[in-house]
Amino acid sequence: MKSGTFRLSRRAMLSAIAGAAAVVSFGFGAPAEAADPLKVSAIYTVPVEQQWVSRIHKALNAAEERGDISYEFSENVANTDYERVMREYAENGSDLIVGEVFGVERAARKVAADYPETAFLMGSSFAPDGENFSVFDNFIHEPSYLVGMAAGKATKTNKIGMVGGFAIPEVNRLMHAFMAGAKSVNPDVEFMVTFINSWYDPPKAKEAAFAMIDNGADIMYAERFGVSDAAKERGILAVGNVIDTAADYPGTILGSALWHMEATIDHAIEAVKAGEFKAEDYGKFSYMEYGGGSVVLDPALLPDGTVEEVEAKQAEILDGSFTVDVNDEEPKSSM
């Protein structure tokens, strides 16, 4: 075993994004003056501390600190209230509205159609819509595959537990990639998979993890908060998702697949400022190529040679010689 923490490289792509070809403008008027910050609003159905939303919040705060935007947000918005909040922000002159509409797709798209001069960038499993409704998702299947390799090397029981929120494409693809990565280095590994049908219920996720640990899992894939708490209490390892929580669980998190929203947010801001925002799929900006995903590993918790093997596979992903499959089907337990 080795000591210390090893971070696989994150490649900043801001210059490439800034130099991208212009897109067609659809009614967003003249480009905003460089000195005028855009008015950006965000609507979240969960607290901003929740890992997925926290990455959006972080990127928007960074843009505000640079002076590019003014930023306001609403958190813990119920699905039944989402449309009203969207309309209020649009009526109040927001240039760009950001959010996640997995449970309110129809209503959100109707609001966007009613405000054609407002740009909307929404987390969604579906396609862009109209002229002003763009979508994004956390396509971090690449780092998920890589951290799956690390988990496959580290397990001693060859049993890994996986607790997810909902069985939707955004979650399914990460689990499948993780499982494929683990299988690539350890064909004997088996998986227990469950979904708690909630985006934020740490006690429920913790109980689901305990059941898997009792059934022999010695590594837990923590797609939701609460899973790593169970792993820590039982003295086994866990794999983080979206954010790096290793400092909160020392000696527990063997590695994490991280999501970075900066490339996505900055592309949208630049498009709105240039008067060139259009309905498009921003999913590619979560790929490692754009700096949208990365991996962090703890060598002290991994067998010798694991970091080097993962790093070599990352190089293949970045140079295009290896592609991680995107599988949006619901994953199933293999034991």
Side-chain angles (χ1 to χ4, degrees):
M1 300 289 186
K2 299 178 181 178
S3 62
T5 299
F6 179 86
R7 288 184 177 273
L8 298 179
S9 61
R10 176 185 172 198
R11 304 199 319 181
M13 296 296 291
L14 296 181
S15 60
I17 296 169
V23 293
V24 180
S25 172
F26 287 100
F28 288 91
E33 293 295 329
D36 295 335
L38 294 180
K39 186 175 182 180
V40 178
S41 305
I43 313 167
Y44 307 122
T45 59
V46 293
V48 292
E49 291 82 12
Q50 189 259 11
Q51 63 261 54
W52 197 87
V53 160
S54 73
R55 309 312 283 174
I56 309 170
H57 188 59
K58 177 177 180 289
L60 288 169
N61 276 322
E64 184 174 47
E65 289 171 6
R66 292 195 308 264
D68 291 341
I69 67 172
S70 63
Y71 171 47
E72 59 183 345
F73 66 92
S74 298
E75 60 184 335
N76 291 313
V77 177
N79 284 351
T80 53
D81 208 27
Y82 207 92
E83 180 178 355
R84 178 190 63 80
V85 179
M86 285 182 73
R87 290 187 182 279
E88 285 187 358
Y89 279 137
E91 289 288 344
N92 288 337
S94 294
D95 299 299
L96 172 65
I97 298 177
V98 181
E100 16 88 33
V101 296
F102 297 100
V104 289
E105 291 278 355
R106 186 171 299 174
R109 290 164 188 265
K110 183 178 184 298
V111 172
D114 289 343
Y115 296 92
E117 294 189 359
T118 303
F120 293 85
L121 177 62
M122 294 290 172
S124 170
S125 299
F126 297 98
D129 195 23
E131 298 179 348
N132 63 331
F133 190 93
S134 288
V135 297
F136 67 89
D137 212 338
N138 67 329
F139 280 90
I140 55 169
H141 54 294
E142 295 164 330
S144 295
Y145 183 97
L146 296 174
V147 79
M149 291 175 61
K153 287 284 191 178
T155 180
K156 295 181 175 61
T157 65
N158 287 333
K159 294 181 180 180
I160 296 177
M162 307 181 72
V163 179
F166 289 95
I168 64 170
E170 178 256 340
V171 175
N172 297 344
R173 70 176 68 106
L174 307 186
M175 286 188 163
H176 276 296
F178 174 87
M179 295 162 78
K183 280 281 191 182
S184 74
V185 298
N186 183 355
D188 295 327
V189 71
E190 296 181 294
F191 303 94
M192 290 170 268
V193 180
T194 193
F195 296 91
I196 63 171
N197 295 317
S198 171
W199 290 132
Y200 193 75
D201 192 339
K204 189 173 183 180
K206 186 177 182 180
E207 288 303 314
F210 278 146
M212 293 179 176
I213 297 168
D214 290 341
N215 200 30
D218 67 344
I219 294 177
M220 290 300 308
Y221 175 87
E223 200 272 329
R224 293 290 104 188
F225 278 159
V227 177
S228 295
D229 296 277
K232 181 180 179 180
E233 288 187 23
R234 294 293 179 87
I236 68 165
L237 298 176
V239 173
N241 182 58
V242 175
I243 62 175
D244 184 4
T245 58
D248 298 321
Y249 304 97
T252 297
I253 307 297
L254 67 85
S256 299
L258 307 183
W259 186 33
H260 309 288
M261 266 291 286
E262 285 77 6
T264 301
I265 291 298
D266 293 349
H267 180 75
I269 290 171
E270 290 163 8
V272 175
K273 280 193 169 186
E276 297 171 347
F277 189 89
K278 68 173 184 177
E280 61 181 318
D281 187 344
Y282 279 59
K284 68 180 182 181
F285 294 111
S286 289
Y287 280 52
M288 296 184 80
E289 174 186 359
Y290 290 89
S294 67
V295 172
V296 58
L297 301 176
D298 187 344
L301 302 177
L302 297 170
D304 289 344
T306 300
V307 167
E308 291 78 10
E309 188 170 349
V310 172
E311 186 178 22
K313 184 59 67 175
Q314 178 189 245
E316 293 178 15
I317 291 172
L318 292 174
D319 69 20
S321 61
F322 181 78
T323 300
V324 179
D325 291 336
V326 175
N327 184 348
D328 288 344
E329 298 298 317
E330 181 176 345
K332 303 292 184 181
S333 297
S334 59
M335 57 173 292

